[in-house]
Amino acid sequence: MKKYIKTEAIAIVVKCAQIYKNELDGKTLLFICTDKHKNIVPVEFSFYGNNYMHLTGLKPPKRSKDAALFANDFYRKCLEHKLSAEDFDFSEDGTTQMKLEVLPTIIAKHLQAKMIGDYDSAKPRLYTEKIAGSTNACMGFIFDEKLQQYVPNTVVKEDIRDLTCGTLRVIAAYRKAIHATRYEERTYIAKKIDLSTVDFPADFAYLKPEAT
């Protein structure tokens, strides 16, 4: 695993913040998944600016007393290219290095997610609830009681199959503005999938294309 120094970390998180802003911030992603019995399972995740810092593995400097305020300030400084080495610390457990390595690969309009699953709490290596990703990198999500939405809280460099139970296969993904009522943009479809034959859940039946 590469050992990043602070100048390298700044370059990575500033670049990824621009992508996060364009692709994920203020948006909700819908994943249409199938379980081992071929049942269709929809999963939704929402993204806000103050979630971004938690994905980087960077921490508030010890002088910072308000973590929530720091998360917003951190994101703003990234977008304005004003982040400095004095604005953050690395995690003492070494997870920052791992997160920085995979962050550029997973900040995307469908998270490069091929699978989604519930976090297997029998493997207490991180705090999260649902995980989306692949065999190389994953993003974790927790349920925000106030928002009543799943929001991102971590990134890990691991095989999703080693972290989850009841893993679902992603067959399609869609994106919309958080407050929009309908999904209008499809961002991913798995190979050899004919969506016109998929039994979409009632709430998302409008997404089913006409058979050709």
Side-chain angles (χ1 to χ4, degrees):
M1 181 175 64
K2 177 178 172 59
K3 297 293 185 180
Y4 296 96
I5 60 175
K6 282 198 168 185
T7 53
E8 293 172 319
I10 290 172
I12 292 170
V13 301
V14 166
K15 181 178 180 179
C16 288
Q18 313 303 316
I19 301 172
Y20 184 89
K21 177 67 175 177
N22 293 333
E23 304 287 5
L24 298 173
D25 188 7
K27 297 178 173 63
T28 297
L29 303 186
L30 165 67
F31 293 90
I32 301 296
C33 309
T34 59
D35 64 14
K36 62 181 180 180
H37 303 296
K38 306 300 181 182
N39 296 315
I40 301 299
V41 182
V43 182
E44 291 181 286
F45 301 126
S46 296
F47 299 80
Y48 296 86
N50 61 358
N51 302 137
Y52 178 68
M53 185 202 72
H54 302 292
L55 307 181
T56 67
L58 301 178
K59 303 297 182 183
K62 292 180 179 179
R63 67 178 183 276
S64 178
K65 299 185 183 299
D66 190 325
L69 180 63
F70 175 81
N72 287 311
D73 192 48
F74 176 89
Y75 185 51
R76 177 184 59 78
K77 286 184 176 181
C78 285
L79 293 176
E80 295 176 355
H81 295 265
K82 293 181 179 180
L83 190 69
S84 70
E86 292 72 36
D87 290 327
F88 63 88
D89 290 327
F90 289 155
S91 294
E92 296 177 356
D93 60 7
T95 56
T96 298
Q97 303 294 333
M98 172 271 295
K99 291 176 188 285
L100 291 174
E101 187 174 344
V102 300
L103 190 65
T105 70
I106 203 166
I107 299 293
K109 58 186 177 181
H110 66 281
L111 311 181
Q112 311 295 352
K114 301 299 193 299
M115 292 169 276
I116 292 176
D118 293 327
Y119 175 55
D120 186 352
S121 57
K123 303 172 182 177
R125 284 178 282 174
L126 69 156
Y127 167 65
T128 200
E129 296 172 19
K130 287 189 178 293
I131 298 179
S134 65
T135 57
N136 301 311
C138 310
M139 186 177 291
F141 298 81
I142 57 173
F143 189 72
D144 187 303
E145 294 289 348
K146 182 178 179 180
L147 297 171
Q148 292 292 295
Q149 296 169 329
Y150 279 100
V151 297
N153 78 317
T154 190
V155 165
V156 291
K157 183 186 178 183
E158 294 206 44
D159 186 330
I160 189 174
R161 296 169 297 182
D162 295 334
L163 297 174
T164 56
C165 53
T167 304
L168 306 170
R169 179 196 179 200
V170 175
I171 61 171
Y174 300 82
R175 182 172 63 171
K176 71 177 182 68
I178 286 175
H179 299 297
T181 57
R182 294 165 67 98
Y183 290 91
E184 297 182 354
E185 177 189 13
R186 188 174 71 211
T187 58
Y188 171 78
I189 182 171
K191 293 180 180 178
K192 299 181 180 179
I193 291 293
D194 180 358
L195 292 177
S196 68
T197 66
V198 172
D199 187 16
F200 279 76
D203 287 349
F204 306 110
Y206 66 90
L207 292 170
K208 183 173 182 174
E210 297 293 333
T212 57

